[in-house]
Amino acid sequence: MHVKSIIDNPAADPHDYEPTAADGRAVATARYTIVNGICYDPWADKLLSANPGNDRTGLKVGDLVGVRPGGNPHRWYSPADVRKVIE
């Protein structure tokens, strides 16, 4: 298994991130994706919908923890939410 982080620079702002062609290729071939959702990474939804994969499984953190678009997207500050993602 190979894990690829699209944003791997801690100084990058996910709100303003512009995906590259390489990011699109990575998403197109991904078998499992994890995105924050909650309007934090809208570019991720665009990449996923542009490259639908029948054998891809996806996890949207916002959906999992019950936070709707417009809610606080910074779920990694909540230990309970992080535990849900891990499980």
Side-chain angles (χ1 to χ4, degrees):
M1 175 172 38
H2 175 76
V3 177
K4 164 86 172 130
S5 293
I6 298 293
I7 300 177
D8 57 7
N9 178 348
D13 183 348
H15 299 282
D16 298 325
Y17 186 75
E18 292 290 331
T20 66
D23 296 336
R25 284 189 299 274
V27 169
T29 59
R31 296 187 41 93
Y32 191 82
T33 60
I34 301 173
V35 299
N36 192 68
I38 321 169
C39 301
Y40 188 74
D41 44 13
W43 51 266
D45 285 334
K46 291 176 185 175
L47 287 180
L48 289 166
S49 65
N51 298 291
N54 292 336
D55 63 340
R56 180 185 308 132
T57 301
L59 170 66
K60 281 193 172 185
V61 173
D63 292 348
L64 176 69
V65 301
V67 177
R68 296 177 185 221
N72 181 351
H74 304 101
R75 304 320 310 162
W76 53 90
Y77 290 125
S78 168
D81 289 353
V82 171
R83 174 84 35 220
K84 284 182 185 178
V85 171
I86 292 168
E87 290 171 354

